[in-house]
Amino acid sequence: MSLYTLFFKKIKLFCAFFSLTLISPSVFSQDIITSYEKQYNATSAGTSERYSITSKYVKVLFANKQIEKAKEVLKINIAAAEKEKDGHYACILYCSKAMNLLILEEKEASNESIKKAIFYANKTHNPATKGYLNYTQGWLEARNNNITKAANYFLSALKQYQKAPLST
């Protein structure tokens, strides 16, 4: 095999590898979005299944820069969750919204969302929900470089999670 042929084989391999690294993440991301979208659409509005998949679906949308769609999905599901007697789902969705808005550097909107999450956490007796709220508050404080406050919220979250029944 000539040096010339060997060189071009290596160039072809390099180009193939390079193009896969550029294309593959976006294709993979779209597969994940499509998967969560199918799961989301397979559930009925206002059900625990819908609320559960909403948080995951929204995280994927935000992560893939589909911000307006993510905000719309949250808006629809938060409106439904706010009508529930128990504040569990509204709290969880507002926590998700607060974290994603802070990532987008929408600090005031994030603060409003966490205030609403606190309101709805007070309308549930679920310690896991209260633990998730504390975790979210710790995460927000950590992102704002308030490490002492963050640590206190994380410790509170652990205490709440210890009170929660084991999930299956």
Side-chain angles (χ1 to χ4, degrees):
M1 186 178 297
S2 74
L3 205 53
Y4 182 78
T5 307
L6 187 62
F7 174 75
F8 276 105
K9 279 189 177 186
K10 289 194 179 212
I11 291 290
K12 284 181 186 177
L13 267 171
F14 174 76
C15 289
F17 176 75
F18 186 72
S19 64
L20 282 175
T21 59
L22 290 177
I23 295 169
S24 185
S26 63
V27 171
F28 182 68
S29 295
Q30 190 56 49
D31 287 347
I32 292 172
I33 293 168
T34 302
S35 173
Y36 279 117
E37 187 171 33
K38 284 180 183 174
Q39 291 176 53
Y40 176 82
N41 289 330
T43 61
S44 299
T47 62
S48 60
E49 293 83 13
R50 170 65 63 95
Y51 296 132
S52 294
I53 195 65
T54 296
S55 289
K56 297 170 191 166
Y57 181 39
V58 165
K59 286 176 192 173
V60 170
L61 290 172
F62 273 114
N64 286 281
K65 310 280 189 265
Q66 295 187 24
I67 295 161
E68 293 310 312
K69 187 171 184 177
K71 286 180 177 181
E72 185 61 27
V73 169
L74 271 173
K75 181 180 175 182
I76 291 165
N77 288 280
I78 285 173
E82 287 177 326
K83 295 175 185 169
E84 301 283 335
K85 185 177 179 181
D86 188 285
H88 169 76
Y89 294 113
C91 176
I92 298 298
L93 293 174
Y94 272 119
C95 285
S96 178
K97 184 176 181 181
M99 287 189 282
N100 283 294
L101 290 174
L102 189 60
I103 291 169
L104 295 173
E105 298 181 8
E106 296 180 26
K107 193 170 184 172
E108 289 302 314
S110 175
N111 288 339
E112 286 302 312
S113 292
I114 202 64
K115 286 176 186 174
K116 289 181 179 178
I118 293 166
F119 174 80
Y120 286 101
N122 289 325
K123 293 179 74 174
T124 188
H125 297 291
N126 185 329
T129 305
K130 294 173 187 277
Y132 188 68
L133 170 66
N134 283 307
Y135 164 79
T136 302
Q137 290 175 296
W139 186 92
L140 295 170
E141 292 296 346
R143 293 278 301 198
N144 289 322
N145 292 319
N146 298 323
I147 304 306
T148 303
K149 282 184 178 180
N152 288 330
Y153 279 121
F154 290 140
L155 290 173
S156 294
L158 288 173
K159 289 176 186 174
Q160 289 294 330
Y161 283 132
Q162 286 176 337
K163 295 178 189 175
L166 294 175
S167 58
T168 54

